Amino acid sequence: MHTQIPVTRSGRSVKVASVAGLALLAGLLSGGGSAADESPGPLGLTTSCGTEGGAGAAVPATVALSVDVPDSGEVDRPVQPGPVSFALTLSRADLAGLLPEGAETVVSRAALKVKVAQDGESAEASWELNAPSTLLPADGDVTLVHSGEVPYVTFGSAGEVDFSVGEFTVELRSATAAPEQSAPALTTVTCRLKEGESGHLATTHVTEAGGNEPTGTPGAPTAPAGGTAGAEGKDITVEPPVAEEEDPDFCPVGPPTGELDPSEAPPPPPGDPVRVIELPGVYMCAYALGLANVQKLNGAMIINDPADPALISVMSTKRSTVRTVREKGGVYTRFDSLANLDLPDAESTFLTFGFQPVTAKVSFENGPITISIGNIGSGTEKLTFSTVYFQQSLRLHDVKVNGTPLDVGGNCRTTKPFKVVLNGGDAYKNVAIGGVLEGEVDIPPFTGCGTGGEDLNPLFTASLSGPGNRIFMNQASTCNPASPTRSYCPPPLPELPGTKPST
C-alpha cells in the first residue's frame, strides 16, 4: 500500500510518504555529506504501558530507539530516516500480567507515532516495526527488538524541522500461528512517555534547492486555490494518495541476482541470540561513477563512463540482523541489500615505466554486490558502518603501445577474482540517498596475455598487479519506481569523485 499525506500551507507542503517494503532502512546508515547522525547513540525513553480498557495497572518499560536522521535537506527532496532499531524492555513479571496465562513465545508489532513539525505545522508519520519470534524467559527482563517500514519526508519550504516520538502501541501475537494465518493479537498495549520526556529524535535543517538559505521575510499565510482559510489565515489540506498510473521504464535493468554475502561487514559482538529477518526487499536503481587508481602507474581510470553509464540494480534491504549487546549497551543492527552492476568497458592511457604511452580497454566482471549498513553499541561508543563487498575480475583488450596495436588475445585477464571492499564512513548515508565509498584492492597477476607463443603476462603483471590500488565510487540517490512520488526518477547522475570544488 502506498500512502502520501501532504499538509499544505501558504503554497508550501510537508509530505509524509510510506513505501511498502522500504523496510527501515533503506536502508542503511552513517551520516554522509550534508546528512549526518545527530544523536550519539540510541534515545533512551522511560514509558508506562497498559492495555486499553484498564485491565490491570500500567507497568513501566524502557525504550532504546536508534535512528539516523539527516541533519540537513533540501526543499522538495526526500529526507530518509533510517535505519531504525526499536528495543522495548519490560520485566517478565509485568509482561505476564499483560498476556494470557501460559504464553511462552510471541511475535510483536510496534506502531510509533512520529511527529514531524515545521513552522508551527506538523504531520504524523507512522512507523510500523516488527520483532521476530521471542522466547519468553521464566524471569528477568524481556527485550523485543523491532524493525520495519520507515516513511521518508519531503518538505515544501525551508526551515528547521523537528522529529519527535509520542505514544506507541505494541501488539503481541502468538508465535505458533501459521505464517499464512492472521492470528488475533493476544494483547495490545499502549505506551506513553513518562512526564518530562520530550521524545525528541532529531532536527533537520531544510534549505532551498541547491543549499541556499531562504531570502526575504515570509508574508502572511494565504489559502491555496480551492482551499478555505482558517481562523488565523492558515489553510491545511490533506490530499489523497497519488493515483496509480503506468510507470515509465525508469529502471531498464532486471532485479539483481545472486546471494547476499555480508562477510566483510563488522560482525555482531557478543550478546543475546542473533535475530535474522529475511525481507522481500524493494527494487530500485541508481548510477554510480568512480575512479580507480593504478598504484604502479601513478595514474587513474574512470569507472562507469558518465557519457554512457550503466545502472546499478538494487534490491534494497533483503535481510536485517539484530542482536542486543547487553554488556556494552545498545543494539547491533545490520541491513543487507543485494545489487548487480554490469559496468561498461573503461579506456585509459598510462605512461608505462614512466615514458611509454599505453592505451587499453578494461572489462570489469563483477559478482553479486552486498551492501551492508548498521550500528554497533550506543553513546560515545556507538559505531556506524556502511560496507560494499563483491568479487571482481579484470580483462584487458584493444591494447595500443605508442599508438601501435598490441595483440594480447581474447583472454588476457587476472588469474583469479579479487575482493573489492568499499567503506562509506561519514560520506555514505544509505542505499536510498547514496554517497561516496572508497577502498583499496590488490590486483592479482595476469594470465592468457599474448598470441603466437608470445608471453605478455610478465609485462602486465609487472605494470599493473599488486596492492595499494585505491577505488572511489560516488553513488547517486536511487530511483524507486514503486514510490508514489517517484523521487529521483529517472535516476540522476552523481558527481565524479574528486571533481566537485571544495568550499
Side-chain angles (χ1 to χ4, degrees), residues 31-42:
S34 63
D37 180 18
E38 179 188 86
S39 61

Side-chain angles (χ1 to χ4, degrees), residues 118-363:
Q118 182 187 39
D119 296 336
E121 300 292 340
S122 65
E124 185 177 279
S126 178
W127 290 6
E128 295 190 358
L129 314 170
N130 294 282
S133 175
T134 301
L135 179 65
L136 304 179
D139 52 27
D141 289 339
V142 178
T143 299
L144 305 173
V145 181
H146 301 77
S147 62
E149 297 181 2
V150 173
Y152 62 84
V153 188
T154 303
F155 303 97
S157 61
E160 298 294 315
V161 178
D162 178 79
F163 290 79
S164 60
V165 62
E167 70 175 40
F168 58 90
T169 60
V170 178
E171 289 184 355
L172 300 168
R173 299 176 182 271
S174 170
T176 59
E180 65 274 9
Q181 295 178 347
S182 179
L186 298 175
T187 190
T188 299
V189 297
T190 299
C191 302
R192 295 178 174 86
L193 302 187
K194 181 182 177 181
E195 186 176 353
E197 296 270 18
S198 70
H200 174 73
L201 296 177
T203 298
T204 296
H205 180 63
V206 178
T207 62
E208 301 290 351
N212 298 320
E213 298 291 340
T215 57
T217 302
T222 59
T228 303
E232 298 180 1
K234 295 183 179 180
D235 182 90
I236 299 178
T237 303
V238 178
E239 299 177 2
V242 174
E244 294 291 337
E245 61 183 57
E246 184 178 352
D247 290 337
D249 193 9
F250 288 131
C251 294
V253 287
T257 59
E259 299 295 326
L260 291 169
D261 182 0
S263 58
E264 294 298 322
D272 286 1
V274 174
R275 301 176 186 179
V276 178
I277 305 174
E278 300 295 337
L279 300 164
V282 177
Y283 176 52
M284 300 188 288
C285 64
Y287 284 114
L289 308 180
L291 295 173
N293 291 338
V294 181
Q295 176 72 11
K296 287 184 176 179
L297 298 180
N298 193 29
M301 69 177 73
I302 293 176
I303 301 175
N304 211 12
D305 187 353
D308 187 22
L311 279 166
I312 303 174
S313 65
V314 181
M315 196 60 76
S316 176
T317 309
K318 284 185 62 65
R319 178 186 299 158
S320 70
T321 302
V322 179
R323 165 178 272 177
T324 300
V325 187
R326 292 186 180 277
E327 64 273 17
K328 292 185 178 180
V331 178
Y332 172 94
T333 307
R334 190 185 76 236
F335 303 91
D336 300 322
S337 300
L338 182 67
N340 288 165
L341 175 57
D342 186 10
L343 285 167
D345 292 350
E347 183 172 4
S348 193
T349 299
F350 298 98
L351 292 178
T352 309
F353 307 117
F355 65 90
Q356 188 72 58
V358 176
T359 300
K361 290 185 178 179
V362 181
S363 294

